[in-house]
Structure formats: C-alpha cells, structure tokens
Amino acid sequence: VTLAGAPLLPVDLLALLKHPLCGGSGAARAAHLKHTRWLELHALRGGAPFVDWQALQTGAPEDMEPWLAGLQQVLAPLADVPETLPLADWVVLHQQAALALSRGTSDTPPPLFEKEAGQAARAVFDRLHGESGAAAPLTLAQYHALFQQELNKEEVREQAFLPYPGVAILGTLEARVQSADLVILGGLNEGVWPAAPQPDPWMSRDMRRQIGLPLPERQTGLSAHDFQQAIAAPEVVLSRAVRDGESPTVASRWMIRLTNLLEGLKPDGQGALAAMRERGQGLLALALALNTPDKMQAPAPRPSPAPPVSARPDTLSVTRIETLSRDPYAIYADKVLRLRPLPPLGRAADAMARGTALHRVLEVFVQETRDGLPENAGEIFIKTAETVLDADVPWPSTRRFWRARLAKIAPWFIATERERRERGRPLKTETSGQRKMQSPPFTLTAKADRLDLMAGGRLAIYDYKSGALPTKKQALAFSKQLPLEGAIAAAGGFEGVAAARTGHLELIGLGSGGKTLPLDYDDAAIDKVWAELCELIASYATPTRGYTARMRVEKRAFGGDYDHLSRFGEWLDGEDFETEVLE
C-alpha cells in the first residue's frame, strides 16, 4: 500500500520482489528470484530514477516478458488510485495486489496467509472489510495509517529462534513468571540494574504524590523485587561488566551489599565469597577460551599483486592516470580482475549526475554561441540551463536547486567566457581522442570538454569541474589530465582536429561561486609529462612491478572502492608492501 499513488522507485520495487512471500513457491519462486536478479543488475542499477515498464520490457530477455507483463498488470492499479476511495475498495485493492504478488506465476495457493502471521493479516483484512460500511471515504494516507494501526494491535506469538533449546534470554518482566534450574543475572551495574530514576521535567515528587502518580523510586523497588525473586533460584550466576567502553563501571547496590555482608561473616562468609569468585573465574576462563583462536592469524600484508604482463591493461583514460599514480591497486582490481562497484538503484541526484548535467549545459551553450557572445549572453545561458535541466534532470526539486546555482554563477561565467573568447574561438566540445605508445603497446584515451583554436594555430584546452578545484600544487603533481590532453593534441589524436601545440590549459570550477585555475605548461613541459607517462607505463610492463595499494593517497581519510578487497586496516598507509608475482 505504500507504493500506491506515487511513481514507483527501483529500490521499492526490489524490496517488494525480494520479500520472501513474493513470487510463489517451489520452481516459480526460483524463476522469480532469477528474473529479479537480472532486473536488478541489468535494468534497475544505474538506470532511470523511476521504474519505466516499457523500457524494462524492451531490454529484457524473452523468457522474462510474461513475468514483467504480469508484474506490471498487478502494480498498475496502484499507480492510478483516486484521491479518495471507500474503505471496502481500499481493502479489496490492497488484498488483491498482495495475493497476486504472493502467488506470482505459481499454480499453488499463495504463501501470503500461511502460518500464524499470515492468518493475523487476513483477520485484519476481514475485520476492515466487515466494518467498512461505517467508514467515510478515505485518502491513501488515511487508509495506510488505519491499516498500520490495526496490524499493530495483532500479536503473533510464533516461537522465536533458539540457538539452543535449553537457553532462554528474558527480561525482568518475563522472568517473573518463569523458573529455571540455572539463572544468570546479567548487567548488575548501577544505572543498569537498577536503572537510574528518570527525572520528570513537568512535576515534582510531591505533585506526583498528590495526584496519585507513582514516584520515580517505585521502579527501583520493582527492580529490587525482581532481583530478590531471581536470586532465589536453585543455582545463580551474578555477572556484570567491569567497563563500559572506555569507562569503569560501578557494581549494582545489591552486589555491593551482598559482598559486604559476606565479608562481614568471618570466616565462613569470606570463604563462601572466595569460592564464588573462584567459580566465576572458571566461567571467565571458558569464555576467554571460546574467543581465543586455535592459532593466531597474522594480519594481511599491504598487497602489491604483479599479474602477468599479458593480463595488464593496455588502454587507460587520462582520468585514470592519477588513479594509477595514487592507488595502483584500484587499476588492478578494475582492469585485471574486472571488479567494479555496483551502481546505485536508479539514477541519484549525486555529484556525478550534477557534473553530467552541468557539462551538458556548457556544451550546448558554447555550441549555440560559437560565432560570438551576444550582449544577452547571460540570458541565453540561463535559458540553455533551463532547457537542458528540464530534459536531463528528472527530479523537480533538484532541477530547481541546480538551476538556481547556475543562475548564481552566470555573471561570473559570462565574464570569464568573454576572456576565453578573446583568447580563441570554440573548436570542439566533448571530443574524443587517443595517442598510442609503441613500446610497450599502450593507448591513452581522452574526452576533452572543450578545445578552442587560438590565434597562431595553437589550442586552448579547458576542463570543467563541478566541484572544488585542486590546488595548483596538487594539479601539477598528480592531476595530469590537461597536459596529457595537450600531448594527444600535439600528435593529432583528437577527432576532427589537426595536430597542434597547446597554448593554454585551464580548469574551470563551477562550484562555490566559480573559479579558474590556469596551468603553466609550455611545449617542453607537456613533452616531459608524456615522457614520464611512457616511463610509468613501461615500468608496469615488467613482470615484477606490482600494483601497490594506496601508494600515494592525498589524504589519510581517502576511501577507495577496493579498500575492503585489499584488506586495508590490517595494514596501514606507509607500511612496507610485498610484491606477489602472479601466474
């Protein structure tokens, strides 16, 4: 019922399909899970933010088409519900959809109303339907609240999972009516048992007494009663935690009084107390033995796998060169092991989506004003942003927020754009390029955000950044994207662009009010960056060169996609690594 009256989100659809009561039983359930797995991996993850049934059926295998059609048929009535409906209609709509989803493609009865929990749910449906004549028409929110309230009234006392049938973990209230041969009283710390009285912010103790409310100390008395009743069992273990996190604890008042009493009953009491503590030490020794492994496992060393040269990547993009320098293990996991993080369910309004949208806005704006910036360039920029965001950003609130941010930086962008137009005229946007190395065979690829042709035939290369720009020191040391694009341009590697040297490199930051970062690279410096890349790639063409994990991370708080695979935490940044030659 929570899926009704709103666009269906991928995460909600998957939660429904993966429910253990959805899809029938037996072979039908197995087929349902198989189709659900395909739907998640190939259609929902990284796909549209809302479920598009037509797109799902277009790309699905043939054997899934009847299953998808049936699923859409079941959920379609929930998408177009009226604003209000009689209670009986809500109950029928809800129950029919739940039964159809539970049955799936199976010919057997659906498992929805099996067992005690299912019978309680059916009783709720029957009760609501039987009393529906006395109810006024309800909105969806009202029906949802009513149904949830009725469910909360039901008590299902199915047997809980017991790891051992002779053990039961009970609270103090449950323990009052139970008896056992051996009772373990845990949490005997002051503030836990008994719990500290909660202060009443509204009434004093005298006010509570005058109107007949119990005093806070009454709960302490009940705790004393529970303790007295439990300690009278045939065999009792009294236990408490000596520390709570990093802080020492205080024993419960009853533990203190018991030990003081035994200490005062010389010598029998002291002997009994010593015997109790000795038996407790035996139990602690058993617990320690359970937590002690048979043999100690040494922490994993910092990995540096060296796969065969033939298995190493022979193509990388300019954006991955920094990763190769900072965290080579990520390149190994991605390109050699071919392990990649699963995309989120549906598109999310995250930094990647924002960057894609902003790049598209600037691409369209530059193309529309290729012949020159008019006087109303700011208006054209805002209009372009509205058109692109309306087409590419499906989230209304996010669309308005991003449009407002673009409107805020529009004056700055137009002012700096006039400077760029004086430097050169736009030549290409979002253009692909590559440059090959001969020994070892390797291809460097790139997709330049923008290439401008300057006077004299040189190129200005720009890269848009939707977030914060790196510092100049960081850019010169690790962010070699723009000089490498300059090396590709020098070799004529960009599509539709003749070989040309670079006259200007610049990062354009679109966050925090706008900022530009020109990079000082002449022809010799760009040739040097290319030579250093050739040297780096050649070093990875040797069988003994490993892909070391977290080689030069920028910050210790850096979190990589493959830190769990490299068992980061068993080793730390800066530790020695062991190169493992793989065959």
Side-chain angles (χ1 to χ4, degrees):
V1 70
T2 57
L3 306 182
L8 185 58
L9 301 178
V11 63
D12 293 333
L13 177 60
L14 270 187
L16 185 66
L17 296 179
K18 290 186 176 183
H19 194 280
L21 296 180
C22 184
S25 57
R29 171 69 176 172
H32 169 83
L33 292 177
K34 175 185 176 183
H35 296 333
T36 300
R37 189 176 301 111
W38 186 96
L39 193 68
E40 175 183 0
L41 296 179
H42 296 89
L44 297 181
R45 287 196 175 273
F50 307 109
V51 175
D52 185 347
W53 293 106
Q54 183 177 359
L56 294 181
Q57 292 177 356
T58 301
E62 292 185 5
D63 62 334
M64 281 185 58
E65 292 178 0
W67 178 77
L68 278 173
L71 192 60
Q72 181 184 6
Q73 184 179 2
V74 172
L75 295 177
L78 299 178
D80 300 323
V81 294
E83 184 175 350
T84 61
L85 278 176
L87 177 57
D89 292 347
W90 280 120
V91 172
V92 171
L93 180 66
H94 186 187
Q95 188 171 4
Q96 287 180 349
L99 284 171
L101 289 169
S102 182
R103 182 182 297 108
T105 59
S106 176
D107 297 331
T108 59
L112 180 64
F113 293 145
E114 293 179 355
K115 300 183 179 180
E116 189 175 349
Q119 295 170 8
R122 172 180 282 177
V124 171
F125 279 118
D126 294 342
R127 185 165 63 250
L128 289 177
H129 194 277
E131 302 293 338
S132 60
L138 303 177
T139 64
L140 174 63
Q142 290 171 334
Y143 172 72
H144 179 268
L146 176 62
F147 188 80
Q148 188 66 46
Q149 178 182 344
E150 292 301 311
L151 279 184
N152 292 339
K153 294 179 181 179
E154 297 294 326
E155 292 185 3
V156 179
R157 298 186 177 276
E158 291 185 301
Q159 184 178 9
F161 171 75
L162 298 176
Y164 184 75
V167 175
I169 301 176
L170 305 176
T172 54
L173 183 62
E174 299 166 300
R176 292 176 189 174
V177 295
Q178 301 287 338
S179 61
D181 296 330
L182 172 64
V183 175
I184 301 175
L185 304 184
L188 287 173
N189 287 329
E190 196 68 19
V192 178
W193 194 4
Q198 295 297 320
D200 189 336
W202 305 108
M203 291 181 290
S204 65
R205 284 173 168 77
D206 188 57
M207 294 171 63
R208 293 177 65 90
R209 181 186 57 77
Q210 292 180 26
I211 62 176
L213 292 178
L215 298 180
E217 289 77 7
R218 182 176 183 274
Q219 186 60 45
T220 303
L222 289 176
S223 298
H225 171 271
D226 293 333
F227 176 82
Q228 186 66 32
Q229 183 174 349
I231 203 173
E235 187 175 359
V236 182
V237 175
L238 306 179
S239 67
R240 73 181 190 92
V242 178
R243 301 187 67 84
D244 180 10
E246 298 298 326
S247 304
T249 61
V250 177
S252 171
R253 61 191 69 179
W254 303 310
M255 289 277 286
I256 295 176
R257 290 172 184 173
L258 182 61
T259 54
N260 289 342
L261 176 63
L262 292 175
E263 287 281 2
L265 297 176
K266 301 179 181 180
D268 295 339
Q270 293 181 348
L273 182 60
M276 291 169 59
R277 287 172 172 164
E278 184 178 356
R279 292 192 296 270
Q281 288 298 325
L283 295 177
L284 292 177
L286 289 176
L288 182 62
L290 290 175
N291 293 327
T292 303
D294 295 335
K295 62 177 181 178
M296 296 302 295
Q297 183 71 31
R302 186 180 185 182
S304 182
V309 175
S310 59
R312 303 189 182 202
D314 58 1
T315 301
L316 287 176
S317 67
V318 292
T319 57
R320 299 292 279 168
I321 298 303
E322 181 175 358
T323 305
L324 182 63
S325 299
R326 290 191 180 277
D327 190 9
Y329 188 85
I331 299 296
Y332 164 76
D334 180 10
K335 300 298 183 180
V336 179
L337 300 182
R338 299 182 181 179
L339 299 175
R340 297 173 182 88
L342 286 175
L345 286 170
R347 287 171 55 195
D350 52 13
M352 181 179 295
R354 178 172 176 266
T356 302
L358 296 187
H359 276 66
R360 179 60 180 165
V361 169
L362 299 182
E363 178 187 3
V364 174
F365 173 76
V366 170
Q367 291 175 351
E368 290 182 352
T369 60
R370 185 183 301 273
D371 298 331
L373 285 179
E375 292 297 327
N376 63 338
E379 298 177 4
I380 297 176
F381 181 80
I382 297 298
K383 184 178 180 180
T384 301
E386 293 177 350
T387 302
V388 172
L389 294 179
D390 288 342
D392 295 351
V393 180
W395 310 279
S397 58
T398 302
R399 188 162 55 238
R400 295 187 184 95
F401 180 63
W402 290 353
R403 185 188 297 129
R405 294 187 66 173
L406 283 172
K408 182 179 179 180
I409 68 168
W412 167 85
F413 180 79
I414 297 301
T416 56
E417 180 65 14
R418 295 191 185 279
E419 298 176 1
R420 288 186 284 272
R421 296 299 175 94
E422 292 177 359
R423 189 179 296 120
R425 64 178 180 84
L427 182 63
K428 289 284 186 178
T429 57
E430 301 296 331
T431 183
S432 299
Q434 63 178 19
R435 183 170 177 177
K436 296 182 179 294
M437 300 179 189
Q438 299 302 322
S439 181
F442 182 83
T443 302
L444 178 69
T445 64
K447 189 172 186 180
D449 289 344
R450 176 175 169 182
L451 302 178
D452 284 10
L453 183 62
M454 302 171 61
R458 287 182 173 263
L459 295 176
I461 305 180
Y462 301 101
D463 185 59
Y464 303 125
K465 299 293 184 183
S466 59
L469 294 180
T471 64
K472 194 163 188 176
K473 182 178 180 181
Q474 292 171 341
L476 294 177
F478 290 100
S479 301
K480 302 298 181 68
Q481 178 179 347
L482 284 182
L484 288 175
E485 290 180 2
I488 293 175
F494 284 108
E495 298 175 359
V497 180
R501 283 292 187 173
T502 302
H504 185 77
L505 302 176
E506 185 176 290
L507 295 173
I508 303 175
L510 303 175
S512 302
K515 184 179 180 182
T516 60
L517 179 62
L519 301 178
D520 301 326
Y521 281 94
D522 54 17
D523 294 347
I526 291 177
D527 291 341
K528 181 181 178 183
V529 170
W530 176 255
E532 291 173 347
L533 176 64
C534 293
E535 183 180 351
L536 178 65
I537 297 301
S539 69
Y540 278 99
T542 57
T544 56
R545 175 66 184 265
Y547 291 83
T548 307
R550 299 172 63 94
M551 176 68 79
R552 301 180 185 88
V553 294
E554 179 182 349
K555 299 179 180 178
R556 297 194 65 179
F558 167 83
D561 291 330
Y562 305 99
D563 284 350
H564 62 295
L565 184 65
S566 65
R567 304 185 72 85
F568 176 63
E570 296 187 35
W571 52 270
L572 299 176
D573 292 328
E575 289 187 6
D576 294 335
F577 57 86
E578 297 181 8
T579 301
E580 182 182 4
V581 179
L582 307 176
E583 297 181 357

